[in-house]
Amino acid sequence: MPELDMRTVSFLVSFFALCFGAGLWFFHREQRHYQGINLVAWAQIAMSVGVGLIFLRGAIPIWSSVIAANLLLCCGMTLALFGFSRFRLSDNVFGVISAIGLLGVLLGLVYFLFYQPSINARVALVSLHLGITQLLTSVVIYRGKAVDSAFPRNILATVFAGVALTMFIRTGMVLYHGELNHYMSAGWMHQVPYLASMFLIMAMSFNLVWLVNGRLMRSVESLSMRDNLTSLYNRRGMDKIAAKMANATFEDDRPLVAMMCDIDRFKSINDQFGHLTGDQVISQVSEQIRMHVRVNDVAIRYGGEEFLIILPSTTLKDAQVIAERIRVAIHAMPPLNARMGALSVSIGLAVQQPNQDFSSLIGDTDVAMYQAKQKGRNCIVTYNDKVTYDDKMTPESVSA
């Protein structure tokens, strides 16, 4: 079995970095809307070239196998830090710190190659910069603002921190060991960080793909819970989000109000002006609802022209204020057609009662909304135990 030496190790690291960097770059071309992946790909390619120059030491000029090679390694890791900062929606402060450190690396490499030759000093300098940059990258990955799957995020952050530790250990050891005469004949103390870097390169690619896949899955799930016309939640989204919200507020003994809005005489709008105009009306009404609800409220397109709004931690008085704002805003919208009158909505409100489930709460808002229809439309009715269906009050009689 052949002995594993620095030249063999450097060849393996260069080969792996080039393969994974090229693969990640092609992956980026298919997922261009995810920022930072291209920078990580170029970072791996830069590191591949840098380690490749180290592999060629003795066959190429010394400045290229020492200064250019190590500077490319450090530049590549800095570029990866910038890439992960973009991907994880973190600021670039750490990347700027690492980039400024590159100037010190360059000056140190020149000094310890031409003016005060020392392999140990050069190794310590480069290892220290790589370790600091890797540690900063670990922090960026872990603390970034982007919503990502926790498991691959934590694995990648841990790998970066682990490889940074090997670099710091290497820095300390070379400072307390005798001066190296030939870098390519260095032992395990220098080979282990190379092998750790090879593992880091693989982890970068695999976990980035893993994280992107998680984002795509969440995106598909989010789209399946949204109404195509209004971008509000649909019934599927309601089943997953609003029901949990109602149960949570009930368990925490916080007030919750449900609001049902129905566009008045919508059937007549469709009959007179066509379904395309009807869709435009629904879109405009949904936009007004979106503008007047709060951040924590959940707006749902419940049916054709019906909208359900869940207002957590809200008193009835506050809900009535929000409902009135929505009613006034919709009634003030300019009509889409000169022959079309002003739009209006009938709104029903209901407060969640003790031991009341979500389906029953929606039923109460429905009762209150049809009561608003019966009262003449364009008004708000609050449900209470005394509100009941009138014999003449049916969906068919009040929605035309």
Side-chain angles (χ1 to χ4, degrees):
M1 181 176 178
E3 183 179 356
L4 194 64
D5 56 16
M6 282 297 294
R7 198 173 298 277
T8 303
V9 171
S10 59
F11 172 80
L12 290 174
V13 174
S14 178
F15 177 76
F16 271 88
L18 181 61
C19 291
F20 281 97
L24 201 57
W25 186 80
F26 283 111
F27 178 72
H28 158 72
R29 290 181 62 85
E30 298 295 324
Q31 305 292 341
R32 291 179 181 271
H33 52 290
Y34 292 115
Q35 295 185 353
I37 298 177
N38 58 329
L39 295 181
V40 178
W42 284 115
Q44 293 184 350
I45 293 172
M47 287 186 281
S48 171
V49 175
V51 180
L53 292 176
I54 293 175
F55 167 75
L56 295 174
R57 184 167 296 185
I60 57 177
I62 188 66
W63 66 266
S64 59
S65 65
V66 174
I67 298 177
N70 285 289
L71 200 59
L72 276 170
L73 274 175
C74 293
C75 285
M77 197 56 67
T78 299
L79 196 59
L81 174 53
F82 276 109
F84 281 109
S85 296
R86 288 190 180 184
F87 184 79
R88 294 284 295 134
L89 301 183
S90 180
D91 54 49
N92 289 322
V93 175
F94 288 164
V96 172
I97 293 173
S98 178
I100 293 173
L102 291 173
L103 178 60
V105 172
L106 174 61
L107 295 176
L109 288 172
V110 171
Y111 180 79
F112 290 116
L113 177 63
F114 297 113
Y115 298 97
Q116 187 68 39
S118 172
I119 295 177
N120 285 37
R122 295 198 304 264
V123 169
L125 179 67
V126 173
S127 297
L128 184 62
H129 183 273
L130 289 174
I132 292 173
T133 303
Q134 289 161 354
L135 188 61
L136 294 177
T137 306
S138 176
V139 174
V140 164
I141 292 170
Y142 184 76
R143 299 181 61 183
K145 298 176 183 177
V147 178
D148 281 313
S149 303
F151 190 59
R153 179 202 65 195
N154 294 341
I155 287 179
L156 189 56
T158 301
V159 171
F160 264 99
V163 176
L165 181 60
T166 66
M167 293 298 175
F168 293 142
I169 293 174
R170 184 192 191 199
T171 301
M173 293 184 71
V174 297
L175 292 176
Y176 291 97
H177 278 70
E179 183 70 25
L180 279 171
N181 294 321
H182 300 286
Y183 182 74
M184 300 309 290
S185 62
W188 65 268
M189 181 172 63
H190 300 280
Q191 294 174 10
V192 169
Y194 272 74
L195 295 174
S197 298
M198 185 167 64
F199 180 70
L200 175 62
I201 288 166
M202 292 187 289
M204 276 194 278
S205 297
F206 283 127
N207 283 275
L208 263 179
V209 173
W210 192 352
L211 289 168
V212 168
N213 183 64
R215 291 186 184 184
L216 290 173
M217 293 290 289
R218 284 189 297 275
S219 177
V220 170
E221 184 179 9
S222 177
L223 287 173
S224 71
M225 295 192 300
R226 296 282 181 175
D227 175 64
N228 291 334
L229 178 62
T230 64
S231 296
L232 300 179
Y233 284 108
N234 54 25
R235 294 288 288 269
R236 187 174 186 271
M238 180 193 75
D239 292 339
K240 186 163 186 177
I241 295 176
K244 290 182 180 179
M245 180 185 296
N247 293 332
T249 53
F250 172 73
E251 291 173 359
D252 295 341
D253 197 26
R254 292 177 293 168
L256 180 138
V257 180
M259 180 191 310
M260 186 73 76
C261 305
D262 187 272
I263 303 174
D264 295 328
R265 298 184 174 88
F266 184 74
K267 185 176 183 301
S268 297
I269 294 174
N270 269 341
D271 292 342
Q272 294 181 39
F273 304 103
H275 289 279
L276 182 60
T277 300
D279 285 348
Q280 291 175 324
V281 168
I282 290 174
S283 181
Q284 285 191 345
V285 169
S286 69
E287 183 62 28
Q288 292 300 320
I289 291 174
R290 188 183 294 107
M291 289 172 59
H292 289 87
V293 296
R294 302 162 305 179
V295 175
N296 293 329
D297 299 333
V298 177
I300 303 153
R301 186 182 178 192
Y302 188 73
E305 70 275 19
E306 285 185 314
F307 301 89
L308 176 66
I309 305 168
I310 308 300
L311 303 110
S313 304
T314 306
T315 63
L316 178 59
K317 183 178 180 181
D318 290 337
Q320 289 170 335
V321 171
I322 296 171
E324 179 63 12
R325 288 174 182 168
I326 292 173
R327 186 195 67 80
V328 171
I330 293 172
H331 196 57
M333 289 191 310
L336 293 171
N337 190 296
R339 296 182 293 113
M340 184 187 299
L343 292 173
S344 65
V345 290
S346 297
I347 301 177
L349 294 173
V351 181
Q352 188 179 29
Q353 301 300 315
N355 302 318
Q356 184 179 32
D357 60 24
F358 187 63
S359 298
S360 175
L361 177 63
I362 295 177
D364 290 349
T365 63
D366 229 18
V367 170
M369 184 270 291
Y370 283 121
Q371 183 77 359
K373 293 281 189 182
Q374 190 187 44
K375 288 180 64 175
R377 302 179 177 88
N378 192 27
C379 63
I380 302 167
V381 168
T382 301
Y383 177 87
N384 57 63
D385 292 337
K386 295 180 181 179
V387 175
T388 58
Y389 279 109
D390 186 88
D391 292 338
K392 298 179 181 179
M393 187 174 63
T394 64
E396 290 76 13
S397 64
V398 296
S399 62

